[in-house]
Amino acid sequence: MNSLLKRQIGKHLKNGLNHMDQFLESIDDSYTNYEDQIAILQHSIKISSDELYEANQKLRAEADSLKEINKNLEFILNSMNLDSNALETLNNFNTSDYIKHQTIEIIKINKQREELLLSLEKQNQSLNEYAHIVSHDLKSPLRSIHSLITWIKEDNGQNFNEKTNDYFSLIQKKVEKMNHLIQGILTYSKIDKVNIVKEDVDLNDLVNSIINMIFIPSNIEIIVKNKLPILRNDVFRMQQLFQNLISNAINFNDKPTGTVEIDFVEQEEQYVFSVKDNGVGISNKNQEKIFQIFESVNNDDKSGGIGLSIVKRILDNSSEKIWVESQENNGTTFYFTLHKQ
């Protein structure tokens, strides 16, 4: 058992259950410390994520520069085979100096690119270390708290007053939310770490397995409108992609009869999938914000602000697109592309 819990039990329960309210208040205070640690962790990973994005943008800019230089070099090579009439128009062009200058530029840009890649690697390593800190230092105490609460409720629940039961409910909700947050951070950090293994993925089987695995309230119906295609892709990433979108549609549905519809349209080189719900909806000002890590527009105990960030990261890394159409109180539809090959 976690040492924190041992101290609280020894201090407040040594004479039985007479000080249960004080004990639960102490546990609640202790949880605040974990909230502070999570807040620091969120801030650190947010910084790392922003730096990774900035580094990727710089790499893309450098790649565009290299393409431009390559075009110039191709022009030089082509000019070497020009006929005599064309050469007369280039009699003032010093090919040797131009190639030398372009070579120096290529070396300079490649050096900058190597530095950016090294920085990107360090940031990825830092993000991975943060995830392990969360797993090791926070998950174990949470399991101890959850086990202790379960034990107390099973043995003494009939003796608790309404206030004590409210304390238990509050602590359990906070523990569950932190568990969701920790699992989300671990998954987010794994997206770039797990090697891509492409194989035939039957999306019908994948979606059915997700539906059977996650909790779906009795008032919500999942509808797959058409038979889904078989794609050559990575199973882990496809599972995370569909699971997070389906779970998001379920968690933010406030209607007495909720629906989540999964559909797709086939195009020449890609499929455009959609996950539609009739839930709370998203205002226009928040439709870009929802894809940022740790950003959540709803104060929901099940939301850690990571699910849609995982979705966005998977699709960005595969050069795919995602967008949202929504109105407040009128549901949301997420659209995303997946290439056929």
Side-chain angles (χ1 to χ4, degrees):
M1 183 182 296
N2 183 266
S3 59
L4 169 66
L5 298 177
K6 289 181 180 179
R7 290 199 299 271
Q8 300 294 3
I9 292 170
K11 180 178 179 182
H12 296 289
L13 298 183
K14 59 184 179 181
N15 295 321
L17 297 175
N18 297 326
H19 301 89
M20 178 58 68
D21 287 349
Q22 295 179 23
F23 168 70
L24 292 174
E25 287 175 357
S26 298
I27 291 296
D28 192 48
D29 291 340
S30 301
Y31 174 80
T32 302
N33 295 329
Y34 287 103
E35 280 192 325
D36 292 339
Q37 293 183 44
I38 281 291
I40 294 171
L41 183 68
Q42 287 179 340
H43 179 67
S44 300
I45 293 182
K46 181 69 164 61
I47 292 173
S48 296
S49 180
D50 290 343
E51 289 177 350
L52 289 174
Y53 178 78
E54 183 178 349
N56 277 319
Q57 292 296 101
K58 289 181 179 179
L59 284 174
R60 289 188 180 184
E62 297 296 346
D64 290 339
S65 298
L66 285 173
K67 287 180 182 178
E68 186 64 30
I69 291 174
N70 286 336
K71 287 181 181 179
N72 292 333
L73 288 174
E74 288 178 4
F75 167 76
I76 295 299
L77 292 174
N78 291 332
S79 69
M80 291 179 180
N81 296 320
L82 293 176
D83 58 31
S84 57
N85 292 330
L87 286 172
E88 289 179 2
T89 64
L90 297 173
N91 56 2
N92 293 324
F93 184 79
N94 191 320
T95 303
S96 178
D97 286 347
Y98 187 83
I99 292 178
K100 180 180 179 181
H101 173 73
Q102 295 298 333
T103 302
I104 292 173
E105 287 297 314
I106 290 174
I107 293 173
K108 184 189 299 183
I109 290 174
N110 278 334
K111 185 178 180 180
Q112 292 174 349
R113 184 172 178 272
E114 289 175 3
E115 291 174 352
L116 285 170
L117 286 172
L118 181 61
S119 174
L120 190 62
E121 184 179 347
K122 289 180 179 178
Q123 294 299 329
N124 276 325
Q125 180 63 31
S126 296
L127 192 61
N128 192 45
E129 290 174 358
Y130 285 133
H132 284 290
I133 290 172
V134 172
S135 177
H136 183 268
D137 292 349
L138 296 179
K139 216 167 185 181
S140 179
L142 284 176
R143 283 195 296 265
S144 298
I145 293 173
H146 188 273
S147 297
L148 181 62
I149 293 173
T150 302
W151 167 72
I152 294 175
K153 287 181 68 174
E154 288 178 352
D155 288 358
N156 307 285
Q158 68 276 10
N159 299 322
F160 293 157
N161 57 33
E162 183 178 354
K163 184 177 180 181
T164 301
N165 282 318
D166 288 343
Y167 271 128
F168 272 120
S169 298
L170 178 62
I171 294 173
Q172 284 182 313
K173 285 181 180 179
K174 288 182 177 291
V175 169
E176 288 173 4
K177 181 172 183 177
M178 188 172 286
N179 269 322
H180 284 294
L181 178 59
I182 291 172
Q183 190 58 50
I185 292 173
L186 291 172
T187 302
Y188 186 84
S189 69
K190 285 169 60 178
I191 293 300
D192 293 333
K193 294 294 181 183
V194 177
N195 292 330
I196 295 177
V197 179
K198 288 197 173 184
E199 56 185 287
D200 289 339
V201 181
D202 189 331
L203 295 181
N204 300 283
D205 294 339
L206 185 139
V207 169
N208 284 333
S209 68
I210 291 171
I211 292 173
N212 292 327
M213 177 179 60
I214 63 177
F215 172 71
I216 302 175
S218 58
N219 67 310
I220 293 181
E221 181 183 9
I222 309 293
I223 303 170
V224 181
K225 300 194 70 174
N226 293 293
K227 184 177 180 180
L228 301 175
I230 297 174
L231 291 180
R232 188 143 189 94
N233 215 307
D234 182 82
V235 175
F236 169 73
R237 288 166 176 80
M238 290 299 96
Q239 192 266 341
Q240 288 297 321
L241 173 63
F242 281 91
Q243 181 175 328
N244 278 292
L245 286 172
I246 294 171
S247 296
N248 187 78
I250 292 171
N251 290 338
F252 298 111
N253 199 313
D254 58 345
K255 303 301 187 293
T257 301
T259 59
V260 179
E261 297 180 359
I262 302 167
D263 200 3
F264 77 99
V265 174
E266 182 175 3
Q267 297 180 349
E268 184 175 353
E269 296 183 353
Q270 65 183 12
Y271 297 102
V272 178
F273 291 87
S274 62
V275 179
K276 179 181 179 181
D277 66 70
N278 64 335
V280 298
I282 307 167
S283 65
N284 290 332
K285 66 178 181 180
N286 288 323
Q287 288 182 11
E288 288 298 324
K289 178 182 177 182
I290 57 174
F291 293 111
Q292 299 174 18
I293 189 169
F294 300 128
E295 293 287 353
S296 179
V297 297
N298 301 84
N299 295 322
D300 188 272
D301 285 333
K302 297 180 181 179
S303 174
I306 300 180
L308 292 178
S309 301
I310 293 172
V311 169
K312 185 73 162 59
R313 189 164 186 169
I314 290 171
L315 294 171
D316 282 350
N317 288 349
S318 303
S319 299
E320 305 285 4
K321 297 179 181 178
I322 184 169
W323 65 97
V324 60
E325 294 181 2
S326 180
Q327 291 182 340
E328 285 186 280
N329 301 316
N330 288 324
T332 301
T333 304
F334 284 96
Y335 295 93
F336 61 94
T337 63
L338 289 175
H339 285 90
K340 293 182 177 180
Q341 298 293 333

